Amino acid sequence: MQPTPSGFSVFEAETITLADRRFLIRRATESDVPGLAALLRDDALGASREGSGAEEMAGYQHAFSLIDSDPNQLLVAVDEVTNDAESHGAESHGADAPQQSPETRPAALVGTLQLTLIPSLSRRGSTRLQIEAVRVGPNAQGLGLGTAVFDWAHDCGHRFGASLAQLTTDKSRADAQRFYARLGYEASHEGLKRDLS
């Protein structure tokens, strides 16, 4: 499948249902940034590398503006949807649905992830889907939301032209590595990082 020239620019919000609870998967907005940063901090590794001060928040806001302006980037917010909000929200997973405004969407932010479409000359000019910064908050854990969100992300990436999904995880995250293996990910490459600061 050839990549979509517009990247994620035509992305529409979608809902998924798990255990009689509904979750809206939507494009994050600038007003979500403090909540998304809090989700990133609410984790053993995140607590040591994420910040909450004014300087850090300015960095998150700057990063958000760069992500939001790039059509190949999709920063996702996952909200739990209440019955009142459902009447204003998206249709079920897979159908076109309107983006909810901040005034009508529910306030229960429970998860996030970032998707990046990476066009590449390798693999015959294929597009890769990079999945990063995945978090599900404690109020939505144990329902299978992580698996459902990854199923959604794989489908979304495929719809937007990706033929391969890839991610990285810290070597200390043994539970995450088992989770990704259950989703079909293989440790086929060694990931290397270098601090440039």
Side-chain angles (χ1 to χ4, degrees), residues 21 23 80 110 136-146:
R21 293 167 70 178
F23 298 92
E80 184 157 7
V110 298
V136 173
N139 293 338
Q141 291 177 1
L143 303 171
L145 183 58

Side-chain angles (χ1 to χ4, degrees), residues 37-73:
L39 282 169
L40 295 174
R41 277 192 307 275
D42 189 22
D43 167 92
L45 289 176
S48 66
R49 64 183 179 203
E50 304 297 338
S52 60
E55 186 176 328
E56 289 92 353
M57 200 51 61
Y60 292 128
Q61 292 287 356
H62 176 69
F64 172 81
S65 67
L66 294 174
I67 293 165
D68 197 48
S69 66
D70 183 344
N72 284 324
Q73 303 283 338

Side-chain angles (χ1 to χ4, degrees), residues 64 81 188:
F64 172 81
V81 179
S188 59

Side-chain angles (χ1 to χ4, degrees), residues 17-196:
T17 302
L18 291 167
D20 296 324
R21 293 167 70 178
R22 291 174 62 87
F23 298 92
L24 177 69
I25 299 175
R26 62 177 174 81
R27 185 183 299 274
T29 64
E30 187 174 0
S31 64
D32 292 314
V33 172
L36 299 176
L39 282 169
L40 295 174
R41 277 192 307 275
D42 189 22
D43 167 92
L45 289 176
S48 66
R49 64 183 179 203
E50 304 297 338
S52 60
E55 186 176 328
E56 289 92 353
M57 200 51 61
Y60 292 128
Q61 292 287 356
H62 176 69
F64 172 81
S65 67
L66 294 174
I67 293 165
D68 197 48
S69 66
D70 183 344
N72 284 324
Q73 303 283 338
L74 178 61
L75 183 60
V76 170
V78 181
D79 289 323
E80 184 157 7
V81 179
T82 63
N83 287 336
D84 289 341
E86 284 176 13
S87 62
H88 298 99
E91 297 300 319
S92 64
H93 172 67
D96 289 343
Q99 179 84 19
Q100 288 190 325
S101 72
E103 295 77 30
T104 60
R105 69 176 163 75
L109 178 65
V110 298
T112 187
L113 71 155
Q114 182 176 343
L115 304 180
T116 304
L117 293 173
I118 306 172
S120 175
L121 287 179
S122 68
R123 296 180 181 254
R124 301 178 182 171
S126 67
T127 295
R128 297 167 190 241
L129 176 70
Q130 180 77 25
I131 304 173
E132 288 292 331
V134 180
R135 295 290 190 283
V136 173
N139 293 338
Q141 291 177 1
L143 303 171
L145 183 58
T147 299
V149 166
F150 264 90
D151 289 345
W152 169 85
H154 297 151
D155 180 62
C156 180
H158 180 74
R159 285 184 281 130
F160 283 91
S163 58
L164 176 74
Q166 61 187 32
L167 55 80
T168 62
T169 188
D170 193 279
K171 288 185 177 184
S172 68
R173 294 186 188 272
D175 289 343
Q177 291 166 30
R178 285 190 292 274
F179 171 73
Y180 296 137
R182 283 195 307 271
L183 294 177
Y185 285 87
E186 298 175 6
S188 59
H189 293 67
E190 283 290 328
L192 307 172
K193 296 185 186 243
R194 178 179 171 175
D195 188 349
L196 299 178

